[in-house]
Amino acid sequence: MQIGYKLAAEGYGPAELVRQAVLAERAGFDFVEISDHFHPWLDDQGHSPFAWAVLGSIAARTERIGLATGVTCPTIRYHPAIVAQAAATLALLSDGRFTLGIGSGERLNEHVVGRGFPDSVRVRHEMLREALEIIRLLWQGGYRSYDGRHLRLEDARVFDLPSSPPPIAVAAGGEDAARLAAELGDGLFATEPRGDLVRHYTEAGGDGPRYAEVPMSWAPDERTAVRAALETSRWAVTGWKVMSELPNPVNFEAASATVREEDILGQFACGTDPERFVAVAQPFVDAGFDRLVMQNAGPDPDGFLDFYRGELDGRLRELTPRG
């Protein structure tokens, strides 16, 4: 079991994210994962720096901790050739500590370049497959071309390549993406404790790490923790079908307007009781995930990092699937 810390790029500026990553390494986390957004989910969050620049700075300021995108869409806002180049560079700068997390994206971030965002999930998966093939092709070295249904590559070469390419973890919300993760990825990425995703992944031949984000909100008292999560992270309870489709923070404001404190308590570990945090993490372990990412929505990241080091680290690492 490895434990990661989610760098909430929608909630903090770039310098603060680097500072948190340094503290996460000291607190004993195995890796940090950063969201790769153009917009925040809500205007109240107020941030969305360029994830790749932040990761480069973290690589220079840390020595041991792993780095990951969680996740990058390599089809619209970025061409997969740019993602291949960026990931290769970051792998070199971090001495092999980088994992490329990729997925089919959200309209929130991808529509901004004016190319539209496909309404069809099938088309998004087709584009993701082509992007994975292009990235893998470029990492083989040499000049490469590709002529797909949706994406093309013309006589391109990534000159600076690591001796071994960075692993790719593919985000999945259903069977098709889970099987794609097994076919063209090195790992699985998910945001829900769904054993069916792990099952589809392994049945298709996937045997790599399985990442999942665990929702939590640390504060000195439960009410403060709940209110902080409600203010900045209520979008998380709307579900993936909503999260992938809405175009701007104002739409998420409207879509999450009826989320209640009870809804937050039903999904997030809130407060300071370590047993509650372990209880929220356990279903992810039961589902078969072995890379747990602590996604803290609380107002005090330093307090959470101290809490993790003193109360959670050992408990989480000891978790095993029940039954």
Side-chain angles (χ1 to χ4, degrees):
M1 180 71 67
Q2 290 191 14
I3 311 297
Y5 177 73
K6 181 64 179 276
L7 295 168
E10 304 87 357
Y12 299 98
E16 171 61 15
L17 292 170
V18 174
R19 189 189 73 87
Q20 288 183 29
V22 171
L23 293 179
E25 182 174 62
R26 295 175 186 169
F29 282 96
D30 298 299
F31 63 95
V32 292
E33 171 209 307
I34 187 170
S35 46
D36 186 356
H37 277 211
F38 192 88
H39 289 149
W41 297 100
L42 301 170
D43 282 331
D44 285 345
Q45 292 178 297
H47 296 277
S48 197
F50 187 52
W52 294 90
V54 175
L55 285 170
S57 185
I58 292 171
R61 293 279 305 278
T62 56
E63 298 178 356
R64 171 195 57 81
I65 200 163
L67 315 174
T69 50
V71 295
T72 291
C73 176
T75 59
I76 298 175
R77 180 167 46 112
Y78 305 124
H79 188 279
I82 303 305
V83 174
Q85 182 189 35
T89 298
L90 195 51
L92 290 168
L93 288 173
S94 64
D95 294 323
R97 291 183 282 143
F98 177 64
T99 295
L100 174 61
I102 68 170
S104 57
E106 306 99 4
R107 193 180 305 273
L108 174 72
N109 303 300
E110 305 309 313
H111 81 279
V112 298
V113 294
R115 295 180 55 211
F117 187 70
D119 293 325
S120 167
V121 174
R122 175 186 57 80
V123 172
R124 296 176 204 171
H125 285 170
E126 289 176 356
M127 296 177 73
L128 184 59
R129 171 180 289 277
E130 291 186 5
L132 282 163
E133 291 174 348
I134 288 171
I135 291 168
R136 293 289 191 195
L137 187 65
L138 285 168
W139 284 353
Q140 293 175 21
Y143 286 94
R144 302 289 178 172
S145 296
Y146 181 96
D147 189 13
R149 180 178 180 183
H150 305 284
L151 299 170
R152 291 172 176 77
L153 183 73
E154 183 177 345
D155 206 23
R157 176 184 173 187
V158 176
F159 275 79
D160 289 288
L161 289 171
S163 57
S164 297
I168 299 175
V170 179
E175 178 177 354
D176 291 343
R179 292 185 175 276
L180 181 62
E183 180 185 352
L184 291 174
D186 303 296
L188 178 71
F189 184 97
T191 58
E192 300 173 278
R194 290 176 51 186
D196 62 308
L197 296 178
V198 175
R199 185 177 68 255
H200 293 313
Y201 173 68
T202 56
E203 287 177 351
D207 60 0
R210 300 172 296 279
Y211 295 81
E213 295 180 344
V214 183
M216 51 188 57
S217 181
W218 185 90
D221 63 89
E222 183 180 271
R223 180 164 178 79
T224 299
V226 172
R227 293 183 68 84
L230 184 65
E231 179 180 351
T232 65
S233 302
R234 60 186 181 273
W235 50 269
V237 305
T238 61
W240 182 247
K241 289 186 180 297
V242 173
M243 291 164 59
S244 63
E245 299 298 339
L246 300 182
N248 286 306
V250 65
N251 304 108
F252 281 95
E253 294 278 358
S256 61
T258 59
V259 174
R260 305 163 300 167
E261 291 187 5
E262 304 93 278
D263 301 317
I264 296 295
L265 280 169
Q267 185 167 323
F268 286 70
C270 295
T272 61
D273 181 1
E275 297 308 318
R276 171 58 179 160
F277 285 74
V278 171
V280 170
Q282 182 68 60
F284 292 89
V285 178
D286 294 342
F289 293 97
D290 59 6
R291 302 289 191 275
L292 301 184
V293 184
M294 305 295 100
Q295 188 171 12
N296 175 45
D300 179 6
D302 295 60
F304 171 73
L305 290 165
D306 288 341
F307 171 70
Y308 171 81
R309 178 169 47 197
E311 301 287 348
L312 280 186
D313 183 77
R315 286 180 170 91
L316 291 173
R317 294 184 189 279
E318 292 172 358
L319 289 178
T320 57
R322 297 172 295 190

